[in-house]
Amino acid sequence: MSSLDVAIRPLKIQPDDPRHKEDLRALIQHELAGRLDGSDITRKPTATELSEAVQLLLDKSEGVFVYLARLLDGLKAKRRWTLKDLRDFPQGLNATYTAFMERLPSSSDSTRFAETDLSRLLSVLLAVQEPPTLELLTAAWNANEELPAVDGGTAGVRPVAERFKPTFAALEVNKLLDQLGSLYSVHDERVVVFHKSFHDFLESHKLEFGQANKFWVDPVQGHTLLAAVTAQLMASPDAARAAWPSSALPSKTGSMDMQLSPQPHVYKWLIPYSLKYGPSHLVELQLSGQLPAAGPLLGTLVQNYAFLAAAFSSGNGHDLIRALSRLRRSPSDSSIPGIVMDALRWMLLRQPDLFKAGISEEQVLVSCLCCPLGTLVFEKAKKVYVNALELLGRPCWTPRHVLGASTSWPACQIVLSGHSSYVTSVAWSPDGRQLASGSGDMTLRVWDAASGACVATLEEHSDTVESVAWSPDGRQLASGSLDMTLRVWDAASGACVATLEGHSDIVQSVAWSPDGRQLASGSGDGTLRVWDAASGACVATLEGHSIIMMSVAWSPDGRQLASGSGEMTLRVWDAASGACVETLEGHSDSVISVAWSPDGRQLASGSGEMTLRVWDAASGACVATLEVHSGDVQSVAWSPDGRQLASRGGDATLSVWDAASGACVATLEGHSNMVTSVAWSPDNRQLASGSWDETLRVWDAASGACVATLEGHSSGVSSVAWSPDGRQLASGSWDNTLRVWDAASGACVATLEGHSDVVQSVAWSPDGRQLASGSWDETLRVWDAASGACVATLEGHSKSVSSVAWSPDGRQLASGSGNMTLRVWDAASGACVATLEGHSGDVQSVAWSPDGRQLASGSSDKTLRVWDAASGACVATLEGHSNIVTSVAWSPDGRQLASGSWDKTLRVWDAASGACVATLKDPY
């Protein structure tokens, strides 16, 4: 079946429907006017005869509009018609097509129709994935059905000669199209079928009443011929130069060394189609099981770096992934070469780097060499790399294990790239075919889950999209935003069909009722609202929480709602009456996430107190408290069978829990000494940690696996930071150096030397072009990230610099020092523009507020201070810790501050009032 199968099928018009009956009668009467004779041809038809003719045509159409349209068009072929003539019209659309085919010259001889040139042409028209050009149609019709053979071990193909000379073949195809008359036409140089129903007819083995269709056409033949075009292009050096001129890797027995030279002018039409759809035809043949050569040719294709580079560069990478993904339906098929599925894993993971204009064959090879050691993709690329160096006469270094390199594919299946800011929410469509995401870039994106392609970008919100949810039938999406609105979107068109207004603060969470008739939203105004999904009207406002609503979820039967709040409680509500039926207390910090078990008997909640709790939904009793995290529990979700819970904590751990026992079944371990620094990658897919064991480790956030151990420092690692694009890591160490690491390979790409003492802190500029470091040598240094050169040394502190931070706009730097001061520096000139005094102990940590208007600092004097960045005035002193304050961080919205201390607690503070709103005790 081709991609044209999404076209409109024959449209049933139901002529007996009162809404259509009179319109159809009027249409037929208009077309018959002046053309119908009475029983006596010397007179006009009577009203009864005209009514009988109209009903006759309606009956023969069998309710199929395209038949009626074709019939009415056919009435223009003669000036006069009688009732007898109309009765001779075929009954139904299939009979019309049969009668037409029987009149064709190609069908009149004794040759079986399936063996005719016309059947061959129609098989291509059935299989082709878009209306073909005459050149493509001719090339496929003229191709040999014997697919080119694969050269053993060379990832190449041997071409097969064409059936006829190209000029003769083009004449024959035009003759065949002429025979088909009005069933096909040429528009914009492409051959277009009159209606998809004709292809339905050709693909039907049986017609009405079990009658065999003698004009049945096998689309597999068409897939074979179109695949042959792609395979022969892969074998042609002329095509290689026309399609992928970047192909420059020398080869002993390369895929382009066999000679076949179709006419160069046809490349304009054949190459774009082959790059986009050639793999799809090979996959169709593989799945049909009718052509053993399809599997090996697919193996050849995914090893042809020139073809892949051309496909990626021309924007067809996602089409290639979609095609190969269909092979997952047959995981046990031994005829599919292992490298095909291995290549699919590689493309899914690396598509942000691969699917870009101008990518070369060499760059594709390099990407393969970055795959896990031992994978088939890596091993093939290694052989090509070694062969190329030998032919060029260069020293041949065989790729071997590198420090921290993985030996197997990571748990992460696919990387979806496109948002220009952080991703706040993600949700699967009910059928599992699509994903929706919300982002700080104020958009929603809809993604094809198989290929990773972004199929729609939904833009209407005026601020961060905090939450996104699919309707149960998958036809609509709902989103909540910092702009205080909910929006409902049509999933097919991407149109915003409703804007729901009523909340007076951010919409933090949104959820559909199980029947899809209602929406629930939780807001920073402390209320839940229930909305009618059809009208957009607010049908209930549920009040009871006193501060921000963090999460909302419907029970599986739709009778109850659960909500989590910043006031440290969960509430269960009766969805019909809006009454609060249960308040669940036990958490000692904000309830950030809440979820029902699939059977509706239990609730799970995650909190800022570092715990998950499981509650009996009927009694409200807490039946389990899961404690492992040493930081906030940010998210919680049930497995589909309700047996497990997963949570992600702000302490840089990922934990998997057994819901029945409350046991933690997975955590991240590996360092041999104290962990000093932890940082998330910008895409949230990895964690980096630094330790006194002199190493950095990179962790897969999904599986918990350590994917790389970065060794090079000769003393403890004191600080670690990701570059804004996530491609590099920077680390500071007690060995007085900074190191920059390639996050993908684990290689140390630069060692920055200049400090004369411990590098205590390191930070990337917001644009990723510079690094700043603070040292015990009492200086800050600014480094060019590309060259590693030190471009500025900032002096002024009289003791060690313990902390450094860039302002959000990258124009200023702030530093904290052992001399009890903060300093603010102009990043361009290096001038100190402000000295902030007030602490009575070392300044251990400094952080800018997200809007850049304030600074926060933590000190060994056991306090935090908040400073006005413009004036340098201390606007608040936060007291409560009983020991040194080692770390301070702002919440993303700038409303709260978090601090860590040697008193083994974290404290959360209201930034406006300075009040301590929560104390989190480390369970360790």
Side-chain angles (χ1 to χ4, degrees):
M1 303 292 282
S2 76
S3 62
L4 292 177
D5 289 327
V6 299
I8 297 174
R9 296 293 184 183
L11 178 63
K12 297 291 183 180
I13 58 175
Q14 301 175 353
D16 291 333
D17 189 325
R19 296 171 298 176
H20 302 152
K21 186 174 182 180
E22 294 308 316
D23 289 341
L24 292 174
R25 285 187 179 281
L27 175 62
I28 295 173
Q29 283 181 212
H30 174 76
E31 293 297 328
L32 286 174
R35 287 193 173 92
L36 183 66
D37 289 328
S39 54
D40 179 353
I41 61 172
T42 62
R43 62 174 175 79
K44 293 182 178 180
T46 65
T48 301
E49 289 171 334
L50 182 59
S51 177
E52 182 181 352
V54 170
Q55 188 60 47
L56 177 66
L57 295 184
L58 283 174
D59 292 342
K60 284 186 176 293
S61 74
E62 298 179 348
V64 178
F65 177 76
V66 67
Y67 176 95
L68 191 59
R70 189 162 181 79
L71 182 150
L72 295 177
D73 188 59
L75 290 177
K76 300 174 183 178
K78 284 174 55 177
R79 293 189 61 186
R80 311 296 299 177
W81 295 86
T82 66
L83 273 170
K84 181 180 182 303
D85 294 330
L86 298 182
R87 291 190 184 100
D88 290 338
F89 278 19
Q91 179 72 27
L93 192 58
N94 283 338
T96 302
Y97 288 141
T98 299
F100 179 89
M101 295 294 290
E102 286 174 339
R103 294 195 297 270
L104 297 180
S106 299
S107 308
S108 59
D109 57 27
S110 58
T111 305
R112 285 198 325 117
F113 178 73
E115 299 172 0
T116 64
D117 284 339
L118 180 61
S119 176
R120 182 186 187 86
L121 183 72
L122 288 171
S123 75
V124 175
L125 289 166
L126 283 181
V128 73
Q129 302 286 291
E130 65 184 24
T133 63
L134 284 169
E135 288 82 0
L136 173 62
L137 188 60
T138 300
W141 178 83
N142 197 33
N144 197 305
E145 287 182 67
E146 178 189 354
L147 284 184
V150 177
D151 288 338
T154 69
V157 293
R158 297 196 310 273
V160 178
E162 297 168 305
R163 297 166 67 235
F164 306 107
K165 293 292 185 182
T167 302
F168 177 78
L171 291 173
E172 287 299 303
V173 167
N174 276 286
K175 288 179 183 178
L176 293 172
L177 287 174
D178 287 341
Q179 289 185 30
L180 292 169
S182 62
L183 286 174
Y184 291 92
S185 57
V186 178
H187 294 290
D188 296 326
E189 300 183 312
R190 293 183 179 273
V191 180
V192 181
V193 67
F194 160 74
H195 193 269
K196 183 63 177 69
S197 59
F198 180 58
H199 287 177
D200 293 338
F201 162 76
L202 295 175
E203 289 187 86
S204 300
H205 286 274
K206 299 288 185 182
L207 302 178
E208 291 80 0
F209 311 110
Q211 178 185 2
N213 182 9
K214 61 182 178 181
F215 297 109
W216 172 74
V217 174
D218 186 1
V220 170
Q221 182 184 33
H223 287 297
T224 303
L225 295 171
L226 288 160
V229 171
T230 298
Q232 291 187 26
L233 285 172
M234 288 169 59
S236 167
D238 291 338
R241 286 189 291 272
W244 33 88
S246 63
S247 177
L249 288 177
S251 172
K252 292 179 179 177
T253 53
S255 60
M256 300 297 176
D257 62 343
M258 303 302 292
Q259 295 299 314
L260 177 72
S261 298
Q263 298 300 310
H265 72 276
V266 304
Y267 295 147
K268 174 184 176 183
W269 306 107
L270 302 188
I271 290 169
Y273 184 89
S274 294
L275 292 174
K276 187 175 181 67
Y277 297 117
S280 179
H281 292 299
L282 285 169
V283 168
E284 193 69 42
L285 294 173
Q286 176 65 33
L287 294 176
S288 74
Q290 297 185 35
L291 203 69
L297 275 170
L298 281 168
T300 298
L301 184 145
V302 299
Q303 297 175 71
N304 190 318
Y305 302 136
F307 180 91
L308 294 178
F312 297 157
S313 183
S314 58
N316 296 312
H318 287 118
D319 297 292
L320 177 56
I321 286 180
R322 287 190 193 96
L324 297 180
S325 294
R326 296 179 62 207
L327 297 172
R328 288 173 166 172
R329 302 175 189 174
S330 307
S332 59
D333 188 348
S334 60
S335 66
I336 302 174
I339 196 169
V340 174
M341 303 315 293
D342 223 37
L344 177 60
R345 290 295 307 272
W346 159 63
M347 292 179 211
L348 287 169
L349 280 171
R350 301 303 297 269
Q351 55 181 290
D353 298 326
L354 293 172
F355 297 173
K356 56 188 179 184
I359 189 170
S360 66
E361 180 183 9
E362 291 85 349
Q363 289 170 315
V364 173
L365 173 64
V366 169
S367 179
C368 292
L369 288 171
C370 293
C371 289
L373 305 180
T375 61
L376 297 176
V377 172
F378 173 83
E379 290 299 325
K380 170 61 183 177
K382 182 173 72 172
K383 292 178 182 178
V384 172
Y385 170 74
V386 171
N387 288 343
L389 290 182
E390 287 178 350
L391 288 174
L392 292 171
R394 296 178 183 174
C396 182
W397 295 88
T398 301
R400 299 179 63 86
H401 289 251
V402 295
L403 188 64
S406 176
T407 58
S408 61
W409 291 111
C412 177
Q413 295 278 320
I414 189 169
V415 177
L416 311 181
S417 178
H419 282 297
S420 60
S421 187
Y422 55 90
V423 176
T424 58
S425 180
V426 63
W428 287 93
S429 63
D431 61 9
R433 295 180 180 178
Q434 291 183 312
L435 279 161
S437 58
S439 169
D441 63 11
M442 301 184 288
T443 69
L444 290 81
R445 287 183 178 249
V446 181
W447 312 82
D448 178 71
S451 68
C454 177
V455 297
T457 301
L458 313 183
E459 300 176 317
E460 289 286 342
H461 283 295
S462 59
D463 211 328
T464 297
V465 178
E466 284 290 316
S467 181
V468 60
W470 291 85
S471 62
D473 61 8
R475 295 180 179 178
Q476 290 184 311
L477 279 161
S479 57
S481 169
L482 290 183
D483 64 12
M484 300 187 289
T485 68
L486 288 82
R487 289 183 180 261
V488 181
W489 313 79
D490 181 82
S493 67
C496 178
V497 296
T499 301
L500 313 184
E501 298 178 325
H503 283 297
S504 59
D505 206 332
I506 65 173
V507 179
Q508 186 74 23
S509 182
V510 61
W512 291 84
S513 62
D515 61 9
R517 296 180 180 179
Q518 290 184 311
L519 278 162
S521 58
S523 169
D525 62 15
T527 69
L528 279 84
R529 287 184 177 250
V530 181
W531 312 79
D532 181 84
S535 67
C538 178
V539 296
T541 301
L542 313 184
E543 299 179 346
H545 289 295
S546 58
I547 56 176
I548 186 169
M549 194 80 59
M550 307 292 290
S551 181
V552 61
W554 290 84
S555 62
D557 61 9
R559 296 179 180 178
Q560 291 183 309
L561 280 160
S563 59
S565 167
E567 67 184 4
M568 303 180 288
T569 66
L570 288 83
R571 288 182 180 253
V572 180
W573 312 79
D574 182 271
S577 67
C580 177
V581 296
E582 197 82 52
T583 301
L584 312 183
E585 299 179 344
H587 285 296
S588 60
D589 204 342
S590 298
V591 178
I592 298 171
S593 182
V594 60
W596 293 83
S597 63
D599 60 10
R601 295 180 180 179
Q602 291 182 311
L603 276 163
S605 57
S607 168
E609 66 184 359
M610 305 166 281
T611 67
L612 288 84
R613 289 180 181 256
V614 181
W615 311 80
D616 182 272
S619 67
C622 179
V623 295
T625 301
L626 315 181
E627 299 184 6
V628 161
H629 291 295
S630 58
D632 293 353
V633 178
Q634 301 286 353
S635 180
V636 59
W638 289 88
S639 62
D641 61 8
R643 295 179 180 178
Q644 288 184 313
L645 284 158
S647 64
R648 177 173 66 83
D651 57 0
T653 67
L654 180 73
S655 296
V656 181
W657 311 82
D658 180 84
S661 66
C664 177
V665 296
T667 193
L668 283 69
E669 298 178 352
H671 283 295
S672 59
N673 208 327
M674 188 179 79
V675 176
T676 59
S677 181
V678 177
W680 284 91
S681 63
D683 60 8
N684 275 345
R685 295 186 180 122
Q686 291 183 310
L687 284 160
S689 57
S691 168
W692 279 4
D693 65 8
E694 303 177 6
T695 70
L696 289 82
R697 287 182 179 252
V698 180
W699 312 81
D700 182 88
S703 66
C706 177
V707 297
T709 300
L710 314 183
E711 297 179 346
H713 283 297
S714 58
S715 190
V717 177
S718 56
S719 181
V720 61
W722 290 85
S723 62
D725 62 7
R727 296 181 179 178
Q728 292 184 311
L729 279 160
S731 58
S733 169
W734 283 47
D735 63 10
N736 305 352
T737 69
L738 289 82
R739 286 183 179 252
V740 181
W741 313 79
D742 182 271
S745 67
C748 177
V749 296
T751 301
L752 312 184
E753 299 179 344
H755 284 296
S756 59
D757 210 331
V758 172
V759 178
Q760 184 67 23
S761 180
V762 60
W764 291 84
S765 62
D767 62 7
R769 295 179 179 178
Q770 291 183 311
L771 278 161
S773 56
S775 168
W776 286 11
D777 65 8
E778 305 176 6
T779 69
L780 287 81
R781 286 183 178 253
V782 181
W783 312 80
D784 182 83
S787 66
C790 177
V791 295
T793 301
L794 312 184
E795 299 177 342
H797 286 295
S798 58
K799 286 192 176 180
S800 63
V801 178
S802 54
S803 181
V804 61
W806 291 86
S807 63
D809 61 9
R811 296 179 180 178
Q812 291 184 311
L813 279 161
S815 57
S817 169
N819 66 359
M820 301 183 288
T821 68
L822 289 80
R823 286 185 177 247
V824 180
W825 312 79
D826 182 83
S829 66
C832 177
V833 295
T835 301
L836 313 183
E837 299 178 347
H839 282 296
S840 58
D842 298 354
V843 178
Q844 298 284 329
S845 180
V846 61
W848 290 85
S849 63
D851 61 8
R853 295 179 180 178
Q854 291 184 310
L855 279 161
S857 56
S859 169
S860 59
D861 65 9
K862 309 176 189 177
T863 70
L864 287 82
R865 287 182 179 251
V866 180
W867 313 79
D868 182 82
S871 67
C874 177
V875 296
T877 300
L878 313 184
E879 299 178 345
H881 283 296
S882 60
N883 210 325
I884 294 172
V885 178
T886 57
S887 181
V888 61
W890 292 83
S891 62
D893 60 8
R895 296 180 178 180
Q896 292 182 312
L897 277 163
S899 57
S901 168
W902 281 11
D903 64 10
K904 300 183 180 180
T905 69
L906 285 81
R907 287 182 179 254
V908 180
W909 312 80
D910 181 84
S913 66
C916 178
V917 296
T919 302
L920 316 180
K921 293 185 178 180
D922 189 337
Y924 300 105

